[in-house]
C-alpha cells in the first residue's frame, strides 16, 4: 500500500511541476515589471509594494528607501522660495548621487537618480512652481 501511495504522490508532483514553473515565471515577470517602473523613476502603487513585500523583500526594501527619499525631496521642493532654489536643490541632489556612482554604479543609485528627476519634472509642471519667482 505504501508503494502505491508513494507512486501516486510522485505522479501528482510530476503533474503539478509545469504549473509551479508557470507560477514562478509569472512572479518573475511581475517583479521585472515593477523593477522597470522603479528604473523609470515612477512611484509604485500600494498593490505593487505589497506584491514586492511578498515576492522580493530586497527590492521592496529598495523601493521603500526610494519612496522615502522622493517624499523628502518633494517636501523640500514645496518649501523652495524661488525657481532658482528648486533648481539648485535638484542639482545638489543629483551631484550627491553622482558622487556615489563614481564608487561603483548600482541599480539602486540609477533608480534614485531617475526618481529625483521624475519628481523634479512633476514639480516643474505644477502650478506651485509656476507661482515661484
Amino acid at each position: 500500500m505504501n508503494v502505491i501511495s508513494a507512486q501516486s504522490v510522485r505522479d501528482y508532483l510530476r503533474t503539478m511541476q509545469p504549473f509551479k514553473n508557470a507560477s514562478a515565471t509569472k512572479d518573475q515577470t511581475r517583479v521585472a515589471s515593477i523593477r522597470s517602473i522603479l528604473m523609470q523613476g515612477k512611484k509604485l502603487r500600494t498593490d505593487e509594494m505589497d506584491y514586492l513585500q511578498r515576492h522580493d523583500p530586497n527590492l521592496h526594501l529598495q523601493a521603500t528607501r526610494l519612496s522615502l527619499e522622493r517624499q523628502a525631496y518633494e517636501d523640500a521642493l514645496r518649501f523652495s522660495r524661488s525657481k532658482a532654489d528648486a533648481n539648485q536643490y535638484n542639482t545638489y541632489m543629483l551631484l550627491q548621487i553622482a558622487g556615489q556612482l563614481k564608487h561603483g554604479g548600482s541599480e539602486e543609485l540609477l533608480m534614485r537618480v531617475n526618481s529625483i528627476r521624475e519628481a523634479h519634472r512633476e514639480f516643474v509642471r505644477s502650478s506651485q512652481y509656476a507661482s515661484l519667482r
Side-chain angles (χ1 to χ4, degrees), residues 59-87:
L59 188 56
H60 177 262
L61 183 61
Q62 286 179 350
T64 301
R65 285 194 300 258
L66 287 169
S67 177
L68 292 173
E69 181 179 39
R70 182 181 177 133
Q71 186 61 48
Y73 179 74
E74 289 172 346
D75 290 345
L77 287 178
R78 279 191 212 99
F79 290 105
S80 296
R81 295 182 179 195
S82 68
K83 292 177 182 178
D85 285 347
N87 292 330

Side-chain angles (χ1 to χ4, degrees), residues 45-117:
R45 298 184 318 257
T46 305
D47 64 313
E48 293 166 333
M49 288 294 283
D50 293 342
Y51 188 85
L52 283 182
Q53 189 173 20
R54 288 189 311 275
H55 294 92
D56 193 339
N58 291 331
L59 188 56
H60 177 262
L61 183 61
Q62 286 179 350
T64 301
R65 285 194 300 258
L66 287 169
S67 177
L68 292 173
E69 181 179 39
R70 182 181 177 133
Q71 186 61 48
Y73 179 74
E74 289 172 346
D75 290 345
L77 287 178
R78 279 191 212 99
F79 290 105
S80 296
R81 295 182 179 195
S82 68
K83 292 177 182 178
D85 285 347
N87 292 330
Q88 284 176 340
Y89 189 61
N90 179 51
T91 302
Y92 168 78
M93 288 296 294
L94 292 175
L95 286 174
Q96 185 181 25
I97 296 169
Q100 295 172 2
L101 277 170
K102 288 180 184 177
H103 303 295
S106 75
E107 184 180 57
E108 184 173 4
L109 290 174
L110 293 173
M111 288 177 185
R112 287 178 62 199
V113 166
N114 292 335
S115 178
I116 296 299
R117 285 182 179 166

